[in-house]
Amino acid sequence: MQRRSAKKAIKDTLEVELSERESHELYYRICNYLLDNDDKCYISVIRYKYLLLCDEISSNVSDYLVMEQLLEKMKEKHPLMLSALTYIVCYKS
């Protein structure tokens, strides 16, 4: 995941301004949460990324679309966890 793509997707989807490092961290925290708690959701995101890569879409665009889908799925299925993870990334000491 490219940090700029994650940052832009978070800003567009969640309307939260994070640094590139924080955006990257949020991406990995969400992926780890889904791996532990929602395999089907995580697998669907991986399939989506695979399809984008097969269609030879640039990595910047595919990373943006994957992060956007990941955030949308989290908003739909796990909104409280998304809020908690975003808060942790933004305000950790």
Side-chain angles (χ1 to χ4, degrees):
M1 172 65 62
Q2 294 188 10
R3 292 179 182 189
R4 256 185 247 142
S5 300
K7 179 181 177 177
K8 181 153 176 44
I10 290 168
K11 184 177 180 184
D12 293 347
T13 306
L14 298 180
E15 299 175 358
V16 174
E17 187 75 37
L18 298 177
S19 70
E20 289 181 8
R21 183 191 58 76
E22 291 169 334
S23 301
H24 204 239
E25 183 179 341
L26 181 60
Y27 171 76
Y28 282 111
R29 285 182 182 263
I30 290 172
C31 287
N32 285 331
Y33 173 78
L34 290 176
L35 274 171
D36 292 339
N37 299 292
D38 194 347
D39 294 341
K40 290 180 183 179
C41 183
Y42 184 74
I43 290 169
S44 72
V45 171
I46 297 300
R47 282 185 183 151
Y48 182 63
K49 185 168 185 163
Y50 175 75
L51 291 173
L52 291 172
L53 292 174
C54 286
D55 287 342
E56 297 180 12
I57 294 177
S58 74
S59 61
N60 283 340
V61 173
S62 68
D63 286 347
Y64 174 87
L65 293 172
V66 167
M67 186 64 175
E68 184 180 53
Q69 184 186 31
L70 191 63
L71 292 169
E72 290 296 332
K73 286 188 176 286
M74 285 295 289
K75 280 170 64 175
E76 177 185 319
K77 291 183 160 195
H78 309 284
L80 291 175
M81 186 52 72
L82 177 59
S83 295
L85 290 173
T86 304
Y87 182 84
I88 289 169
V89 168
C90 287
Y91 300 108
K92 71 180 183 177
S93 51

